Amino acid sequence: MALPCVAEQFFELSSEQAISDFFYAHPEDVLILGGGSNVVLPPVIQRPVVQVVNHTLECIARDLDHVVVKVGASVVWDELVAWAVENSYYGLENLSLIPGSVGAAPVQNIGAYGVELKDVLKSVRAFDRVQRVFVDLSNERCCFGYRDSIFKRECGRYVISEVVLRLARKAQFVLEYGELKTLSHEANLSLSKVRDTVIGVRSAKLPDPKVIPNTGSFFKNPVISRSTCEVLKQRFPSLVCYPAGEGSMKLAAGWLIENAGLKGYVQGNASVHDKQALVLTNQGGAQQQDIIRLASYVEDKIKDLYGIELEQEPILIRD
Ligand SMILES: Cc1cc2nc3c(=O)[nH]c(=O)nc-3n(C[C@H](O)[C@H](O)[C@H](O)COP(=O)(O)OP(=O)(O)OC[C@H]3O[C@@H](n4cnc5c(N)ncnc54)[C@H](O)[C@@H]3O)c2cc1C
């Protein structure tokens, strides 16, 4: 978001020993930061800010069908995806170009184009600040949901140092979503073709955060009951919605915002992006307060028009 922010104390922790020593010495509230792409930061952070430095990237097991890969928290997510594609490991290609670090990926169970991290994640190694030991959490124990996990629900408890993934060695693509559908009839489809397509679509749709500061989708797609959805559909026949498990429907939050007339809405130094209504942007010089104010304005409008409460996706950091 490129919001101005000063951390009064900043620490890089580059070994398990350093992590446990640090958290024994600092039982107080601490902010764990990855690449900073999914946080809305305040002007000053007084509590310690910590970054885990772990560049591990190694195959720890393989058989005919799969490879098991251990990846350090500070590896850049998209560099991992590029590496997997180069080595012909399947499973991450739909998650191309998602900004941020590997350590943050389990926090909101990153997802795109029908694939979520949970589909390939075997376990997460983290320092548990409650038990004060390193733990290896299996996929089940991470309690993954849509943009959700135990790491988000018990925010600040786990300091993720490594992630273990199980990737396929034989071609298996997920091409049911959006523009990827067009690839499903292609003979000899390659991993790099899927990655390039995802990168092309994302670059065309989402503003580059280095050019127009943003956190990606600012709101989650709301999940509502099928009956509520049917009532809404009568009022808004072009409502965009998808089945989301038994009796539930997922609404496209971007459509709700655009249909409310808020696409391109500018409020001070912050705005709803003029091409992608799900994205809030810093127009230059915005502070955390400006983003909070704009987000509340959008939420109120959506509640008034559709009776639906939007939930924010990025993490609002208070100090
Ligand atoms: C343009 C754009 C597009 C995006 N597209 C998508 C998308 O398609 N799908 C999607 O799911 N997300 C998307 N995002 C959101 C973002 O990329 C992900 O949430 C990403 O995982 C954040 O990584 P980060 O390293 O920047 O985390 P940060 O923003 O630094 O941190 C995010 C959260 O994770 C916690 N955290 C970070 N590192 C650790 C650690 N080592 N241990 C414990 N907790 C930690 C932080 O405390 C914070 O709560 C997008 C963001 C942008 C800007």
Side-chain angles (χ1 to χ4, degrees):
M1 243 329 165
L3 303 174
C5 176
V6 175
E8 291 190 346
Q9 310 166 63
F10 179 74
F11 302 87
E12 286 183 327
L13 306 177
S14 50
S15 68
E16 290 202 353
Q17 190 63 51
I19 292 173
S20 62
D21 287 351
F22 179 87
F23 285 103
Y24 266 89
H26 293 272
E28 75 270 26
D29 194 16
V30 165
L31 173 64
I32 307 154
L33 201 60
S37 68
N38 210 29
V39 285
V40 180
L41 295 167
V44 177
I45 304 179
Q46 281 163 355
R47 61 187 150 141
V49 176
V50 163
Q51 220 167 30
V52 174
V53 180
N54 180 342
H55 300 298
T56 304
L57 178 50
E58 56 176 300
C59 294
I60 53 173
R62 71 171 68 220
D63 60 24
L64 269 182
D65 296 324
H66 292 96
V67 62
V68 178
V69 183
K70 186 163 79 173
V71 198
S74 57
V75 171
V76 173
W77 174 262
D78 195 52
E79 289 177 9
L80 168 66
V81 179
W83 174 87
V85 168
E86 269 164 34
N87 286 281
S88 302
Y89 301 146
Y90 297 77
L92 300 182
E93 57 283 358
N94 289 25
L95 304 177
S96 291
L97 212 63
I98 297 181
S101 60
V102 166
V107 175
Q108 74 153 359
N109 179 28
I110 58 168
Y113 298 100
V115 172
E116 290 181 325
L117 180 70
K118 73 169 173 53
D119 302 331
V120 292
L121 185 134
K122 206 167 142 53
S123 62
V124 170
R125 183 156 178 82
F127 184 74
D128 178 353
R129 295 188 64 198
V130 172
Q131 297 184 62
R132 294 184 164 201
V133 286
F134 269 89
V135 289
D136 291 291
L137 299 174
S138 66
N139 185 310
E140 292 70 31
R141 285 191 59 204
C142 295
C143 303
F144 288 122
Y146 166 58
R147 301 291 189 270
D148 197 22
S149 70
I150 193 170
F151 311 108
K152 204 163 186 180
R153 278 180 238 159
E154 298 192 33
C155 185
R157 172 170 177 177
Y158 295 101
V159 185
I160 297 171
S161 65
E162 275 169 4
V163 165
V164 178
L165 306 176
R166 184 168 175 268
L167 305 176
R169 298 185 66 199
K170 292 190 177 148
Q172 42 182 260
F173 295 109
V174 177
L175 303 170
E176 284 86 41
Y177 287 81
E179 292 80 349
L180 295 193
K181 274 187 200 153
T182 56
L183 298 178
S184 57
H185 304 296
E186 222 167 274
N188 303 321
L189 182 60
S190 68
L191 266 172
S192 51
K193 177 74 193 258
V194 177
R195 174 165 162 80
D196 291 348
T197 304
V198 171
I199 289 175
V201 172
R202 290 183 66 100
S203 307
K205 265 193 185 169
L206 289 169
D208 179 348
K210 292 193 192 94
V211 182
I212 302 176
N214 73 88
T215 59
S217 306
F218 202 90
F219 301 102
K220 293 185 184 181
N221 290 323
V223 177
I224 60 171
S225 70
R226 208 169 267 270
S227 54
T228 310
C229 188
E230 272 157 24
V231 174
L232 271 177
K233 192 98 185 152
Q234 280 168 4
R235 282 179 59 209
F236 305 99
S238 56
L239 182 79
V240 178
C241 53
Y242 312 90
E246 208 170 312
S248 300
M249 297 293 282
K250 193 183 271 186
L251 304 181
W255 184 92
L256 297 174
I257 298 167
E258 184 173 345
N259 186 64
L262 292 172
K263 195 177 185 180
Y265 174 74
V266 180
Q267 192 183 73
N269 293 327
S271 76
V272 178
H273 192 247
D274 56 4
K275 294 197 183 63
Q276 174 50 269
L278 200 48
V279 174
L280 302 190
T281 68
N282 174 359
Q283 299 269 92
Q287 302 238 351
Q288 186 192 50
Q289 260 324 102
D290 300 307
I291 305 298
I292 293 174
R293 209 175 302 120
L294 176 61
S296 309
Y297 181 81
V298 172
E299 287 164 14
D300 290 348
K301 287 277 176 201
I302 297 307
K303 176 90 177 135
D304 288 349
L305 185 58
Y306 311 101
I308 285 175
E309 296 204 7
L310 286 180
E311 199 184 327
Q312 296 180 9
E313 193 177 299
I315 290 142
L316 184 67
I317 307 294
R318 304 245 184 218
D319 217 73

